[in-house]
Amino acid sequence: MFEYLTPRSLATPQDVAEYLELHQAAQDFRLELEHRARLEDYCHWYHQVAAANRRDLEQMRSELNLLSWFNRSLPR
C-alpha cells in the first residue's frame, strides 16, 4: 500500500550513463525538429515574398514609364 514511501535503490553508473545518452538524443531530436520547422517557415515566407515581388514587377512593367521621357532629353 505504501510502496512509494520505501526508499528506492540508487541507480548504477551504467543506468545514469544510459539515461544521459537518452536525454541527449531526445534533446538533439527536439532541436532538429525545431530547426526544420523554422526552415520550413522561412521557405514558406520566402516563396510568398518572391511571388509578391514577381507580381509587383509585372505590374511595374505594364505601367507607363514617365521617367524615360526625362532620360531621353538628357544630352549624351
Side-chain angles (χ1 to χ4, degrees), residues 55-67:
R55 284 191 304 270
D56 292 345
L57 178 62
E58 287 304 315
Q59 181 183 0
M60 289 185 335
R61 283 181 176 163
S62 66
E63 292 174 351
L64 183 62
N65 187 0
L66 296 176
L67 292 178

Side-chain angles (χ1 to χ4, degrees), residues 5-22:
L5 294 177
T6 59
R8 295 183 180 163
S9 62
L10 295 175
T12 64
Q14 293 85 9
D15 291 340
V16 172
E18 182 180 340
Y19 171 79
L20 291 175
E21 288 174 4
L22 288 172

Side-chain angles (χ1 to χ4, degrees), residues 7-74:
R8 295 183 180 163
S9 62
L10 295 175
T12 64
Q14 293 85 9
D15 291 340
V16 172
E18 182 180 340
Y19 171 79
L20 291 175
E21 288 174 4
L22 288 172
H23 181 70
Q24 184 64 46
Q27 288 288 79
D28 291 343
F29 182 73
R30 181 185 59 80
L31 290 174
E32 180 67 23
L33 287 179
E34 288 177 0
H35 172 72
R36 289 183 183 198
R38 286 193 309 270
L39 180 63
E40 185 177 341
D41 291 344
Y42 171 77
C43 289
H44 182 69
W45 169 83
Y46 185 87
H47 290 297
Q48 284 182 333
V49 169
N53 288 342
R54 283 190 295 271
R55 284 191 304 270
D56 292 345
L57 178 62
E58 287 304 315
Q59 181 183 0
M60 289 185 335
R61 283 181 176 163
S62 66
E63 292 174 351
L64 183 62
N65 187 0
L66 296 176
L67 292 178
S68 66
W69 292 350
F70 296 113
N71 286 337
R72 284 188 218 156
S73 64
L74 293 176

